[in-house]
Amino acid sequence: MICEDRVVIVTGAGRGLGRAHALEFARQGARVVVNDLGVGPSGEGGSDGPAQAVAEEIRALGGEAVADRSDIATDEGARRLVATALERFGRLDTLVNNAGFVRDRMLVNLSEEEWDAVTRVHLKGHFLPLKHAGLHWRAESKAGRPVDARVVNTSSGAGLLGSVGQGNYSAAKAGIVGLTLVAAAELGRYGVTVNAIAPAARTRMTEEVFARTMAAPEDGAFDAMAPENVSPLVVWLGSAESKDVTGRVFEVEGGRICVMEGFRHGPATDKGARWDAAELGPRIAALLTAATPPEPVYGA
């Protein structure tokens, strides 16, 4: 078991990907804080049920788990979540930021409230648990106690490549990549690695919008969209084995794992002086011809 005795927080762990992650961490020996507000697919309502059910499922398997309903998009909620791990299990080794919901609209129909709600739960809901976990690990490191900690963030193909009708979600998921890179750079000195995944799986957020793609096979074939396919990578990234991997983004779908390669310096031109806007057309065209085509290609 690659996570034996590690203490892991998983946010949004009451259903879907988060539930699959929590159960796989438990199977691999971790003690798990199961965080979930029990809200609906668009963030409505709330219930203790989902988090409690997953915690009970883990205990039924012989593992250790505690349910938590802290609102991770508030400073107090995120602080309390980290405190729950420390008070219940005496330590914190891994944070998996997974919680989120969608409110899809085309940009011209997207309300300010829908923008704020989605960016709050995804982006702010990654930042605040990361901040409070980071504060704990920094204090441990400065006190001379060894830290071998992991953070696994959840981005999306929508954040890496864009997704029509998901401007709020795509922007938040792209922001999570930027946050991951900054956190990897800042927290490495304290013994913390920070990576992100961009999963494709069947969840409440995808099973209706992408119904055909997400449908389970009827012939007993490999179910490529099962959320459980994503969890082995998350658990490995949350284990001691991944200590040399940080600042990376992995796309994962079914049995496929891909290291995503984001912005990097490509073709360039330098005049050595200020450009005149009227002369840039041919130069920009030459740069774009020499550059790797973007994914996906728009306007074709």
Side-chain angles (χ1 to χ4, degrees), residues 32-49:
V32 186
V33 179
V34 180
N35 168 263
D36 202 290
L37 284 176
V39 300
S42 299
E44 71 279 3
S47 166
D48 292 337

Side-chain angles (χ1 to χ4, degrees), residues 27-286:
R27 277 191 283 266
Q28 293 292 341
R31 293 169 284 173
V32 186
V33 179
V34 180
N35 168 263
D36 202 290
L37 284 176
V39 300
S42 299
E44 71 279 3
S47 166
D48 292 337
Q52 290 285 1
V54 174
E56 290 171 6
E57 195 172 355
I58 289 171
R59 290 193 287 268
L61 295 170
E64 295 183 63
V66 59
D68 177 271
R69 277 203 71 216
S70 301
D71 183 351
I72 46 85
T74 67
D75 191 75
E76 174 57 25
R79 185 203 63 77
R80 189 166 58 248
L81 173 62
V82 172
T84 295
L86 300 176
E87 291 166 5
R88 183 64 179 262
F89 299 122
R91 58 185 294 126
L92 175 61
D93 301 290
T94 299
L95 167 65
V96 179
N97 284 314
N98 168 78
F101 55 74
V102 292
R103 295 186 185 177
D104 294 349
R105 295 282 189 277
M106 301 298 280
L107 284 173
V108 294
N109 296 322
L110 185 63
S111 72
E112 183 178 5
E113 189 276 331
E114 289 166 334
W115 174 275
D116 289 345
V118 170
T119 55
R120 175 186 183 272
V121 68
H122 288 280
L123 189 52
K124 193 176 180 183
H126 270 61
F127 158 61
L128 288 172
L130 178 52
K131 171 189 174 180
H132 284 282
L135 282 169
H136 166 68
W137 289 323
R138 183 183 69 172
E140 290 292 286
S141 178
K142 288 188 173 184
R145 291 184 284 270
V147 175
D148 191 22
R150 308 283 179 267
V151 178
V152 184
N153 292 330
T154 306
S155 182
S156 168
L160 301 173
L161 303 174
S163 179
V164 173
Q166 292 189 309
N168 47 4
Y169 179 76
S170 294
K173 290 303 193 182
I176 288 167
V177 173
L179 178 64
T180 297
L181 299 179
V182 171
E186 291 185 357
L187 299 180
R189 72 193 73 178
Y190 306 124
V192 183
T193 68
V194 187
N195 295 284
I197 62 164
R202 183 172 51 255
T203 70
R204 292 186 302 165
M205 293 194 296
T206 62
E207 62 185 354
E208 292 185 9
V209 178
F210 307 107
R212 180 174 298 180
T213 302
M214 294 297 159
E218 297 180 356
D219 58 1
F222 174 55
D223 184 0
M225 291 298 115
E228 290 79 9
N229 298 330
V230 176
S231 300
L233 175 61
V234 173
V235 171
W236 184 83
L237 288 171
S239 75
E241 287 190 12
S242 65
K243 64 183 178 64
D244 296 323
V245 181
T246 195
R248 294 287 195 163
V249 179
F250 297 87
E251 188 180 58
V252 53
E253 173 183 337
R256 176 179 177 271
I257 297 172
C258 174
V259 179
M260 300 299 287
E261 296 183 340
F263 288 112
R264 59 179 64 236
H265 293 101
T269 183
D270 187 352
K271 180 180 178 179
R274 182 181 300 142
W275 290 96
D276 185 286
E279 65 180 330
L280 279 176
R283 293 301 185 100
I284 298 300

